[in-house]
Amino acid sequence: MVTENPCDATPAQTSTERDSPAEPGPPSWAAPALLFSMLMLGLDLVALIPLGAWMRDYGIGLVGSVYLLHVLASTAVAAWTVSLFPFHLDIEPDQQPF
């Protein structure tokens, strides 16, 4: 039976470093997806200008439904991509807001 002696490990390969995996970062597509969703939200704000005329021309139900679905989709994509980024706040226990 062979057991590993922790003293025989090289300094770059201690047991804590071998056992803990490296913290993964966000995927490479997360930043472009966040940018795209922010542009979609900006388009939602710009679309408020002609929204009344579109409702009069095409119907309030259709335009309102499509607009709300677009706002919901762009907000969901933005929230999802923001959740992929690791945020580590260094707040002291006595400085927490709650």
Side-chain angles (χ1 to χ4, degrees):
M1 180 172 161
V2 177
T3 58
E4 184 177 329
N5 187 357
C7 295
D8 292 340
T10 60
Q13 191 182 22
T14 61
S15 64
T16 56
E17 291 174 354
R18 280 181 283 145
D19 296 339
S20 64
E23 185 174 319
S28 61
W29 50 264
L34 181 61
L35 178 64
F36 181 69
S37 63
M38 298 305 278
L39 289 173
M40 285 174 42
L41 285 169
L43 180 67
D44 291 335
L45 288 175
V46 172
L48 285 173
I49 297 168
L51 199 64
W54 292 343
M55 287 180 176
R56 185 176 54 252
D57 295 341
Y58 301 109
I60 191 169
L62 176 67
V63 173
S65 299
V66 169
Y67 181 75
L68 289 177
L69 283 174
H70 194 271
V71 170
L72 176 67
S74 56
T75 305
V77 170
W80 179 53
T81 54
V82 165
S83 72
L84 294 175
F85 291 102
F87 293 110
H88 299 288
L89 300 176
D90 293 330
I91 299 176
E92 296 295 324
D94 58 342
Q95 295 178 352
Q96 290 182 352
F98 310 131

